């Protein structure tokens, strides 16, 4: 069973931005897959194990130079 989080990230404007966010999130141990819609900032993160905290996700994104604009948990 996979855990999934949907978050919205602001500040991404190009494929390099998307790549930076994907690289940052992929460093979180249980991340299995990341899908980012650049136009809306909608980011779907699927975890293979227990989900990390929202603070861990936010820190990874902010350390990459972007901001979490909102989230929902599925």
């Amino acid at each position: 069973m996979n855990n999934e989080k949907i978050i919205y990230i602001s500040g991404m404007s190009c494929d390099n931005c998307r790549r930076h966010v994907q690289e940052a999130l992929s460093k979180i141990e249980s991340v299995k897959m990341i899908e980012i819609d650049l136009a809306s900032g909608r980011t779907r993160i699927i975890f293979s194990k227990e989900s990390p905290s929202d603070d861990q996700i936010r820190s990874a994104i902010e350390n990459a130079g972007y901001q979490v604009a909102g989230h929902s948990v599925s």
Side-chain angles (χ1 to χ4, degrees):
M1 183 165 117
N2 291 324
N3 295 319
E4 176 179 303
K5 290 191 180 196
I6 305 293
I7 58 173
Y8 292 85
I9 301 173
S10 63
M12 295 186 296
S13 59
C14 65
D15 284 331
N16 279 334
C17 296
R18 181 188 347 232
R19 183 178 51 81
H20 286 132
V21 170
Q22 287 174 323
E23 288 174 357
L25 292 172
S26 68
K27 292 179 183 176
I28 298 172
E29 183 179 332
S30 61
V31 170
K32 183 177 179 180
M33 185 172 67
I34 305 160
E35 297 174 351
I36 299 174
D37 178 66
L38 194 55
S40 68
R42 183 183 185 274
T43 303
R44 179 178 178 222
I45 308 167
I46 298 176
F47 304 93
S48 59
K49 303 179 204 172
E50 185 176 322
S51 299
S53 70
D54 288 346
D55 286 340
Q56 284 179 291
I57 294 170
R58 182 180 303 277
S59 290
I61 292 167
E62 289 178 351
N63 287 338
Y66 304 93
Q67 296 295 316
V68 175
H71 73 280
S72 64
V73 178
S74 303

